[in-house]
């Protein structure tokens, strides 16, 4: 299978390219960045250095492709709302242009890098009212350390659970809004041209080649960069936020499994899959495990908060396991211990 991997020079994309090669496929990379020595071998992988919004570059890259694995995106919460135009331009305008170029080139199979951020807060149950959807947390509560969202019906404490793909979406940041828009664009494209699309809703992906020292990186990279510089990781809120940390090698395998499944799907179909470990851990646990693996310094719990953050969101990846026979192989303890000393990227 010939696969165009947009964002193939990036953290997740470079691992996908290597997994495709290992499985006997023929990836081509389209990325705004040049090849890197720690990435896929350029003698095996054709490389087109271009912005995802470059229509002429897409027109050159797509003919002859069997599928597109769309990883190119601006990720993370960013600095503030001033980033919004660039997020929408790269993530949504870029995706719309890609889909239009795919329609023109006759490429009908798409793997989209989705995100768990489309859910907003995760699943919560109230002992009295059952499953509920808490609204955004109030600044006044966050400022005094009341981080847990209460039941919107009675104000009682809630029990967090695992979200599945049929849970409601509720994006609560610019980035989250653009990721949901990408899924909606892919669905409209599939219906209009008879395409087939899969969206993998990544949870908190970590592993070697994560970018360091950037406001767009994930929490694992923030902690790892601090430890590398000899600083204690700064843990927001009280550190009890629940997340699903999944290793990048497992995510790469999920991409290849999903890409090879596209040929068996009916035209016009779209399917979303949570892509996580299925094993919740707190942000504080991650910071402590990384610090222990590197020999300190110990994390500092700051009580600070970011308005775009949600309290708990963890995944059920049962659908991915059942339908694509995928399951994660890297356990949290082993993965974090390896990541603690793995090389990071600058930029």
């Amino acid at each position: 299978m010939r696969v165009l991997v947009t964002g193939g020079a990036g953290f997740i994309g470079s691992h996908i390219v290597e997994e495709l090669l290992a499985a006997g496929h023929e990836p081509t990379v389209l990325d705004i960045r040049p090849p890197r020595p720690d990435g896929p071998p350029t003698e095996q992988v054709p490389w087109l250095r271009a912005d995802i919004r470059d229509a002429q570059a897409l027109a050159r890259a797509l003919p002859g492709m069997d599928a597109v694995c769309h990883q190119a995106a601006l990720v993370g919460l960013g600095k503030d709302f001033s980033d919004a135009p660039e997020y929408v331009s790269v993530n949504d305008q870029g995706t719309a242009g890609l889909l239009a170029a795919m329609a023109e080139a006759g490429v009908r199979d798409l793997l989209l890098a989705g995100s768990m951020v489309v859910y907003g807060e995760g699943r919560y149950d109230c002992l009295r009212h059952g499953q509920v959807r808490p609204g955004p947390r109030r600044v006044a509560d966050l400022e005094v350390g009341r981080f847990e969202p209460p039941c919107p019906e009675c104000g009682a404490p809630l029990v967090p659970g695992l979200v599945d793909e049929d849970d409601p979406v509720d994006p609560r940041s610019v980035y989250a809004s653009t990721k949901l828009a990408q899924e909606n664009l892919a669905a409209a494209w599939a219906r209009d041209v008879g395409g087939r699309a899969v969206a993998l809703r990544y949870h908190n992906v970590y592993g070697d080649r994560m970018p360091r020292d950037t406001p767009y990186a994930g929490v694992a990279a923030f902690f790892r960069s601090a430890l590398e510089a000899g600083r204690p990781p700064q843990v927001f809120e009280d550190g009890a936020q629940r997340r699903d940390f999944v290793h990048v090698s497992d995510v790469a395998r999920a991409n290849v499994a999903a890409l090879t499944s596209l040929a068996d799907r009916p035209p016009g179909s779209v399917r979303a899959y949570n892509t996580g470990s299925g094993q919740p851990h707190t942000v504080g646990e991650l910071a402590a495990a990384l610090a222990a693996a590197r020999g300190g310094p110990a994390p500092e719990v700051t009580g600070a908060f970011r308005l775009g953050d949600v309290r708990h969101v963890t995944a059920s990846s049962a659908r991915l396991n059942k339908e694509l026979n995928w399951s994660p192989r890297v356990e949290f303890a082993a993965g974090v211990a390896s990541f603690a000393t793995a090389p990071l990227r600058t930029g």
Side-chain angles (χ1 to χ4, degrees):
M1 178 170 54
R2 298 187 65 196
V3 183
L4 179 67
V5 184
T6 72
F11 164 46
I12 298 174
S14 63
H15 284 273
I16 293 170
V17 170
E18 291 176 344
E19 191 70 22
L20 284 166
L21 284 171
H25 300 295
E26 300 177 44
T28 294
V29 169
L30 186 148
D31 200 298
I32 198 169
R33 292 162 293 192
R36 304 177 63 116
D38 60 349
T42 53
E43 66 273 12
Q44 294 178 257
V45 181
W47 202 283
L48 180 59
R49 189 176 179 187
D51 192 296
I52 188 61
R53 295 164 290 186
D54 185 336
Q56 293 182 342
L58 291 170
R60 293 195 304 272
L62 283 165
M65 293 295 161
D66 300 305
V68 171
C69 182
H70 184 31
Q71 306 294 315
L74 191 60
V75 301
L77 284 179
K79 299 185 289 294
D80 52 44
F81 200 82
S82 65
D83 284 332
E86 187 68 3
Y87 270 94
V88 172
S89 177
V90 173
N91 295 358
D92 297 340
Q93 181 182 337
T95 298
L98 171 66
L99 294 170
M102 289 175 65
E104 181 68 22
V107 182
R108 295 293 183 263
D109 287 347
L110 172 71
L111 187 289
L112 174 67
S115 176
M116 56 82 178
V117 295
V118 300
Y119 296 113
E121 289 286 353
R123 178 190 174 114
Y124 292 87
D125 290 289
C126 173
L127 296 178
R128 179 179 176 187
H129 294 100
Q131 186 174 357
V132 296
R133 297 286 297 175
R137 296 181 294 171
R138 299 189 310 159
V139 173
D141 289 334
L142 296 171
E143 287 177 338
V144 297
R146 287 195 292 266
F147 300 120
E148 295 289 344
C151 174
E153 301 294 331
C154 65
L158 298 174
V159 178
L162 302 180
V163 296
D164 62 37
E165 294 85 352
D166 295 324
D167 281 327
V169 292
D170 183 18
R172 297 188 177 183
S173 68
V174 171
Y175 172 60
S177 299
T178 66
K179 295 307 288 183
L180 183 56
Q182 285 184 313
E183 289 195 27
N184 290 336
L185 287 165
W189 164 83
R191 287 191 297 268
D192 190 66
V193 306
R196 300 174 291 200
V198 165
L200 296 182
R201 291 174 177 169
Y202 301 157
H203 282 247
N204 288 71
V205 187
Y206 73 97
D208 57 295
R209 304 181 202 156
M210 286 193 87
R212 61 159 61 86
D213 299 328
T214 166
Y216 305 100
V219 65
F222 291 152
F223 294 162
R224 177 68 174 72
S225 295
L227 287 163
E228 190 173 60
R231 303 189 306 269
Q234 301 295 294
V235 180
F236 281 14
E237 301 186 17
D238 58 0
Q241 310 94 298
R242 286 161 51 105
R243 296 290 187 269
D244 186 318
F245 299 101
V246 58
H247 196 270
V248 66
S249 63
D250 286 327
V251 171
R253 289 192 305 105
N255 272 266
V256 175
L259 281 163
T260 55
S261 77
L262 285 167
D264 298 324
R265 298 177 183 275
S269 64
V270 180
R271 192 70 163 159
Y273 293 98
N274 287 337
T275 308
S277 72
Q279 299 295 320
H281 290 275
T282 68
V283 171
E285 284 180 284
L286 174 67
L290 283 170
R294 284 190 66 93
E300 294 180 354
V301 178
T302 67
F305 59 88
R306 299 188 302 179
L307 289 179
D309 282 336
V310 297
R311 180 60 174 174
H312 305 296
V313 56
T314 53
S316 168
S317 296
R319 177 187 288 182
L320 186 56
N321 175 265
K322 179 180 179 182
E323 296 185 8
L324 299 186
N325 195 32
W326 173 92
S327 59
R329 294 175 180 170
V330 181
E331 295 289 339
F332 178 79
V336 171
S338 173
F339 175 57
T341 55
L344 300 181
R345 289 182 167 188
T346 301

